[in-house]
Amino acid sequence: MRRGKGLQQFGRFLFLAIVMVLIIFPVYWMINTSFKSNAEVFQRHPTFWPHSPTLAAYSALMQPTGTRAPFLQTMLNSLIAAAGATVLSVAIGICAAYALTRLRFPGRDTFSALVFGCYVFPGILLFIPIYIQFQQLGLLDTFPGLILAYQIFGIPFATWMLRSYFVTIPSALEEAARIDGCNRLQSIFYIVIPLAAPGIAASTIFTFTTSWNEFLFAQVLMQTPEKQTAQVAIYSLMNGDTLPWNQLMAASVLVGVPVLILYFGAQRFVGGGLTAGAVK
Amino acid sequence: MIKTNYLYDSLVSRRAMLTWAGRSAAFAAFLSAARSLPAVAANAPTLRIWMGEDYVPAWNAYLPVMIKKVAAELGVNAQVELTPDNDTGRARRQTALESDTLPDIIHGTTADMAKYYDLGKLHPIAAEVFERMQTTNGGWLDNIKPFVTASDGKVYGVPFFTRPWLVHYRQDIFDKAGIKTPPATLDDFKAAAKEVNNPGDGLFGVGMPYNQADMDGHMVAFPWLYNSSWQDEHGNLTVDTAANLEALKSYLWFFQQGLTPQDSLNWGGSGNNNAYLTGLAAIVNNTGSLFAALQRDRPDLAEVTALGPWPQALPDGKPAATTIGFCLNVAHNSANAELAGRFIERMLAVENMGPLLEAGSGQAMPVRTELTQIEYFQKDPIVGRIVRDVVPYSRPLTYPGPNNAKFGDLVSNNSPYFKDLLHRVLVDGVTPEESLKQFAAAGAELQKKYNN
Amino acid sequence: MSNIAETDGRTASSRTDGRQIGRYRSLERRDIYTGYSFLAPAILVLAFVLLIPLVQAVILSFYNKPIGATATFTWLQNYSDTLIDPSFWRAAYNTLIFVVFSIIIKLILGLAIALALNQSFPGRGFARVAVLIPWALPEITACMGFIWLLDGNVGALNAILRGFGLIEQNVYFLSDPKLAMPTVIAVNIWRGFPFFTLTLMAALQTIDKDLYEAADLDGANSWHKFWFITLPSIMPVLTVTTLLSTIWTTNSFTTIFVLTGGGPSDMTTTLPIYTYDQAFQGYANLGRAAAIAVIILPLIVLMIAMLMRVMRKREEIEA
């Protein structure tokens, strides 16, 4: 019995070790490439450790070119857009989720389904009508415009996620508060929101990273170099005929690091967040 | 057999290469010092200008400076933007087209301009400017007008510069194999590629692309080598012909013989550049972007690279130099069309355009007689020879016919139709004859679409 | 204050909290008013950025709309063109292959890893965190990395495989007609399995350990325990996760677009890529692309409906 168990342990360990390698190696390779000089990148036989590590790629990114702002500035733009979109989505999502779980009114279930359906609609077709609409309203190349566009997936996602958290909070607590004299708004602020804090945190993190990673709308709606987001800046590094691989990898690393930190730092919430609605 | 001996005997020597690089650097330094320009009055008219990002940093640095200089001269407020040559830049232009918000002055290839013209987005002022400039300072080069002439015979863009495609040869590899480069005929070219082809050792004879990108330097020109073309001089498509079938088979031959890396099926614009830069391919055809990258990233290879046009004698004895044309246009709904026209004229003045061409280090070729005479072209050994020996024989992609939108759609860079033409044979196993017929059918569809 | 009337503790509470049966009183009107006003911001914003463009897109599908040109009304032409286009069916088939293989492998792999991580062992904390990485990395970042890694000429993977003697000649992962689709599926799996792992890990945590002990006493082996205890317990979570992942995978665009652009030929062209091509590549007809999206829509709606039904049923069970 013990030997069988030992074998099982070993098997599991080996399996996980292989999985870890498969996960980590691509990331390692990206980081590795970002520290190489262009000449070394274009050698026939790839080197697993840069022969002459250099920060050339990173420093090149920090310079503005004719079509691209310094990369840090584009990251700031991403931050503004993502943070703004997240705040708006979560705020609206809290209201909507509350309405869908606590209040009874005709059409509630339909709204529920509709809101969720919005989330899964492919964005590819929406961006031309939105471009034209925004252009007529003067919302192009503005952060409010982009933040508004991000509500397309932001609100449904936040609503859906928060809804599953709100459902787990017994209404008895709220009713007790109301009996004690709170009105509805107070009970929301003092009871529901604190109890749903993990869910709100999870929604915030997910909405933020989805907005941070978003590419299509950022490319279409923010067009001047000063306003570009980091994802678009990465893609625009692929200019014409020659791809500066080390810069591409460096930019990818820079864009990925904040997201990874966010996820790791909030891993508690993330584990719970992903299961919201899936597990009670 | 006509010997095409333009740049063949001159290798790019290390000194020449350093001169180029040094020149660019010195130039950039000079320009940053010259950045302070007089401010323009607050209520001056505004011109929105979109130019294209290029591969040479010095060009990208000088272009906005030059434009501001002209703006100061004319008392105009110029808002300049450089749009990149990638999906982002293309998307931006497409959405501007779609919402009818093209800038006052927009720069693009002559294929782009054909399309915008066809969609009614361009202002006719370009024709006036063209005529005016024909009579000043020696006028345009002889072979320039076809680049910017549409199927109705009218000029719709003001030529800005041209960019020939050049075949790059690894002189060191061919020397070692005892092959004289560059080859004089297409058959010699094929034989040379085959001779040095050694995939086991990581060397392919040629880096030929078989995807959407770079087709304007390859599939467009191949019919020329068989005395044929994709459209006739009146702008009617002439796709399904015996000579074109020969050209197609000839082009496919390189892939089928394993002379080109197999992932050329998937290459983007940088695929063939990368192949040459990593020493994977001994021959690659590309515009100056490859050469710029060589100088920057692989000077050792730049040193042993020879340049030349497509190797085939043509009846008139001239080389087949595929050339992309770039021009400047005015949007049809520009509020300052006449001003834009004058602005363009000033941009092309020798005191403004000359330094820009020099900053381009050979990535941009002149379109006016006086510009061919600037000191840079007189003195520089490599670029000077290109100007003298290749530029006069530059042919627009639409040769021998006029520029028109359907042709542009069918054969321009990033044309999915060429990709389909090639992949149908190489991936789906269709015969070349059948694939060519389908390509012709697609062309006919486009013809219908644009004649509606 | 004004709510003191609700002193009996029973209010019109949320139906999903099935423990209390609502009693409608004058409260109900207030509820409706409150409900709509809370929902209003969401509805307004979504109407503006989603509903209106959606309607515009549907209207567009009845027109011929090349970029930059004026639209011409063609009624159902776009729809008929699409349905008789062999490329459309090819794209549908490719999508089916892509989704089915991706989901099955993501499920099995995600479950296996979740099971493996379900017990303590040294390094478990690190592994649980590392498993997040493919999910957390931005899509473009991951795809750029893989393009570089998988390059047929200078990529690291080829170098490694040759170094281990597993291959003689370089493999062209993304441009070989036979390998392109499996490669794209593999990248999608790499990015997507953590979603399964994470949700299933949490689900596994909620299984009562006593059940396993009881099974041990009855002489069950590992397989029995898995099949009769573990799997049924996580089935609700598994279903929801699978459906969600299926919807996302079906809509997946950026990954394939960046990796192969749909090529070589149309080997990896799925429906979203096909739609994009019709809209923006040489073919450039926005109306046609809108029609394709409208055709695909029922499929997505069907999956969403299934998802909602499963979720609703579970909520009722748990009540």
Side-chain angles (χ1 to χ4, degrees), chain C residues 238-281:
Chain C
L238 195 54
T239 317
V240 171
T241 308
T242 305
L243 274 173
L244 205 52
S245 185
T246 305
I247 296 176
W248 286 337
T249 307
T250 309
N251 278 343
S252 167
F253 171 77
T254 308
T255 299
I256 300 185
F257 183 68
V258 174
L259 286 174
T260 61
S265 190
D266 56 0
M267 292 280 157
T268 58
T269 300
T270 56
L271 287 170
I273 304 263
Y274 176 73
T275 311
Y276 179 89
D277 279 349
Q278 291 297 320
F280 299 107
Q281 298 287 12

Side-chain angles (χ1 to χ4, degrees), chain B residues 304-379:
Chain B
V304 294
T305 295
L307 302 171
W310 277 115
Q312 180 73 351
L314 296 167
D316 58 1
K318 301 294 186 270
T322 329
T323 305
I324 310 174
F326 293 84
C327 55
L328 294 169
N329 282 266
V330 180
H332 74 112
N333 53 1
S334 164
N336 293 302
E338 202 265 326
L339 180 60
R342 280 190 287 130
F343 199 97
I344 293 175
E345 198 170 347
R346 286 305 303 156
M347 280 174 71
L348 279 158
V350 69
E351 60 267 23
N352 294 321
M353 197 62 193
L356 183 63
L357 290 174
E358 182 168 355
S361 302
Q363 310 311 311
M365 289 291 131
V367 292
R368 292 180 64 70
T369 315
E370 57 172 348
L371 287 171
T372 61
Q373 309 296 327
I374 63 176
E375 189 185 339
Y376 173 56
F377 293 141
Q378 307 232 15
K379 295 284 180 49

Side-chain angles (χ1 to χ4, degrees), chain A residues 166-187:
Chain A
F166 284 11
V167 155
T168 67
I169 299 172
S171 19
L173 288 170
E174 250 182 287
E175 284 152 26
R178 302 267 282 279
I179 292 171
D180 282 350
C182 290
N183 67 17
R184 190 180 285 283
L185 272 179
Q186 286 173 330
S187 75

